[in-house]
Amino acid sequence: MAISPPSDLVLDVVKAADPMEVQAAQEKLKANRAAFAATSLAENGKGFSNTVDVLDHIGQKSGLSHIQNRTKTEEVPESYRKFEAMVLQNFVKSMLPSESEDVYGKGATGDIWKGMMAEQLGNTMAKGDGIGIAKQMYSEQLRRQEGKIVNASTDDRDRNTALSMIDDFQRKTFGTPTADAKTDRTG
């Protein structure tokens, strides 16, 4: 039977090691590997900060940056903007990763932080022109109000008052006798 001292020693150490410590060591190795990869990307100009800089530059060129400096084409009431922000918040929250305990935390606290992040993103997206939900709803409401017919149902007393006002207007304008005066002369 042949003995291979380096591999036998390694096997003995692995067998004697605590599984939790082995797992922790593996996690550290993975983290070191990820940190090395991030450093390598940053040194080559492909890191996170460089990507953000590129996106900022693109935003400035396209006019999408500085949402507060945009000119407002049409004033939409705040209630419509808040509704758009709420809709966008729900969209954003559903798009955020569900396995995000490392970023937001675990349990209810993590859900609260995730919700707050979605709320801020939704509010920011709804500023200025937003994506058009508020503007569309507001213009639709204005269209409905323009074509709205007022309910003109009246009772007999209102009808008689209106007819007497019309008769009085005709008498003053055209100098014609009213219906009551005609019946008094003929009767």
Side-chain angles (χ1 to χ4, degrees):
M1 179 155 106
I3 295 177
S4 176
S7 60
D8 286 345
L9 287 174
V10 171
L11 284 174
D12 288 341
V13 170
V14 169
K15 288 178 184 176
D18 181 25
M20 296 301 286
E21 289 178 8
V22 170
Q23 186 177 7
Q26 289 173 342
E27 292 298 322
K28 285 182 183 178
L29 287 172
K30 287 179 187 176
N32 285 340
R33 205 173 304 138
F36 176 73
T39 304
S40 297
L41 287 172
E43 288 173 355
N44 293 330
K46 297 178 182 176
F48 180 77
S49 60
N50 289 342
T51 303
V52 170
D53 291 342
V54 168
L55 291 175
D56 285 343
H57 181 69
I58 291 170
Q60 289 171 356
K61 285 175 77 175
S62 65
L64 295 175
S65 63
H66 304 296
I67 199 162
Q68 290 83 7
N69 295 339
R70 291 185 188 172
T71 59
K72 293 184 178 179
T73 55
E74 182 180 352
E75 190 61 36
V76 178
E78 187 64 24
S79 58
Y80 291 95
R81 295 208 182 279
K82 286 181 179 179
F83 177 77
E84 180 173 3
M86 183 193 65
V87 169
L88 289 172
Q89 173 187 346
N90 289 332
F91 284 153
V92 168
K93 191 171 184 178
S94 69
M95 289 188 286
L96 289 175
S98 58
E99 299 295 325
S100 57
E101 291 178 353
D102 295 338
V103 177
Y104 301 111
K106 295 181 181 180
T109 306
D111 290 339
I112 291 171
W113 281 108
K114 186 177 176 182
M116 290 171 67
M117 174 74 155
E119 179 181 2
Q120 290 301 315
L121 288 170
N123 288 341
T124 301
M125 290 170 67
K127 284 183 183 175
D129 289 336
I131 62 170
I133 296 172
K135 186 176 180 182
Q136 179 68 27
M137 288 180 60
Y138 182 59
S139 63
E140 192 67 33
Q141 182 64 26
L142 288 177
R143 234 187 326 255
R144 271 192 236 131
Q145 286 180 350
E146 287 172 3
K148 196 174 195 180
I149 298 174
V150 177
N151 186 3
S153 64
T154 58
D155 59 0
D156 286 336
R157 193 177 116 234
D158 290 338
R159 187 173 184 280
N160 289 337
T161 303
L163 287 174
S164 69
M165 291 172 75
I166 291 171
D167 285 342
D168 188 41
F169 177 75
Q170 285 177 345
R171 183 179 50 78
K172 288 179 181 176
T173 306
F174 302 117
T176 58
T178 60
D180 292 335
K182 286 181 188 176
T183 55
D184 287 343
R185 276 190 250 147
T186 56

